[in-house]
Amino acid sequence: MSRKSKFLVSALAALFIQLSFQSGAFAAKNMVKHHRERWEYENREWTAPEVILNVNIRVPVVDTVGYLAVFYNEPQRFNQLVAKMRPIMTRVNELSDGTFKGHSFPAETEAELDKLRGQMFADVQSLYGDEALSRLKEYLGSKYGSIDSSGLF
């Protein structure tokens, strides 16, 4: 073998060795990237999703007032109801601008929403009676019942 051929073979061997180690380094770098992507995917897919919890669904003041305005044409009672509902709606809006993000409401917020919802239904019952309250609850249950299988009311 001539000197030129030996030099060419040596140069090609050195280049081959260098490229093989270099691709291994790239492969290792890509493996870390692939492991990280897989970990992020598993965390996203196997953890409980963070959802938006709507305060206005828990205390549906607007739906209540609208339902009673449409189905009960009694302006005097309606004005009394609106006057009683304004503070409830103001507090509902203050709680979180209508929504929370997370897996559940904080316990103190949940208790306050239950109290506000109870007050809203008590006001409706005192002004419109038991029959109107039961129809309202049926309407709200049919409207929002599919959103939460555990029941909103």
Side-chain angles (χ1 to χ4, degrees), residues 55-103:
V55 174
N56 291 308
I57 291 175
R58 298 299 304 236
V59 187
V61 177
V62 174
D63 289 329
T64 299
V65 171
Y67 178 85
L68 294 171
V70 169
F71 291 108
Y72 297 91
N73 188 14
E74 300 173 16
Q76 186 177 4
R77 281 189 189 177
F78 180 73
N79 289 334
Q80 290 174 344
L81 179 72
V82 170
K84 287 185 174 192
M85 293 291 165
R86 276 201 178 105
I88 294 172
M89 190 62 197
T90 301
R91 183 61 189 141
V92 167
N93 284 336
E94 288 172 359
L95 282 172
S96 72
D97 293 331
T99 60
F100 280 92
K101 282 189 178 182
H103 304 294

Side-chain angles (χ1 to χ4, degrees):
M1 210 185 233
S2 72
R3 189 175 166 177
K4 221 179 193 182
S5 334
K6 285 182 185 180
F7 178 74
L8 184 60
V9 169
S10 299
L12 287 175
L15 183 63
F16 174 76
I17 291 171
Q18 191 175 28
L19 286 176
S20 65
F21 282 120
Q22 200 172 27
S23 65
F26 286 135
K29 189 176 182 180
N30 285 340
M31 287 301 290
V32 170
K33 178 183 170 189
H34 290 305
H35 283 298
R36 185 171 296 135
E37 287 174 354
R38 180 66 185 177
W39 179 73
E40 290 170 357
Y41 170 79
E42 287 173 357
N43 278 340
R44 188 175 54 248
E45 292 297 318
W46 296 105
T47 56
E50 189 172 270
V51 294
I52 295 176
L53 303 167
N54 194 335
V55 174
N56 291 308
I57 291 175
R58 298 299 304 236
V59 187
V61 177
V62 174
D63 289 329
T64 299
V65 171
Y67 178 85
L68 294 171
V70 169
F71 291 108
Y72 297 91
N73 188 14
E74 300 173 16
Q76 186 177 4
R77 281 189 189 177
F78 180 73
N79 289 334
Q80 290 174 344
L81 179 72
V82 170
K84 287 185 174 192
M85 293 291 165
R86 276 201 178 105
I88 294 172
M89 190 62 197
T90 301
R91 183 61 189 141
V92 167
N93 284 336
E94 288 172 359
L95 282 172
S96 72
D97 293 331
T99 60
F100 280 92
K101 282 189 178 182
H103 304 294
S104 64
F105 288 109
E108 61 276 355
T109 304
E110 184 72 39
E112 188 170 359
L113 290 174
D114 289 342
K115 180 182 161 195
L116 291 170
R117 187 173 53 250
Q119 181 63 45
M120 179 184 74
F121 288 146
D123 291 342
V124 169
Q125 185 178 23
S126 69
L127 289 171
Y128 286 90
D130 291 332
E131 184 181 339
L133 178 63
S134 65
R135 286 183 179 179
L136 173 66
K137 284 185 176 183
E138 184 180 315
Y139 166 74
L140 293 173
S142 66
K143 182 173 183 178
Y144 297 120
S146 63
I147 294 173
D148 183 6
S149 61
S150 64
L152 293 169
F153 305 108

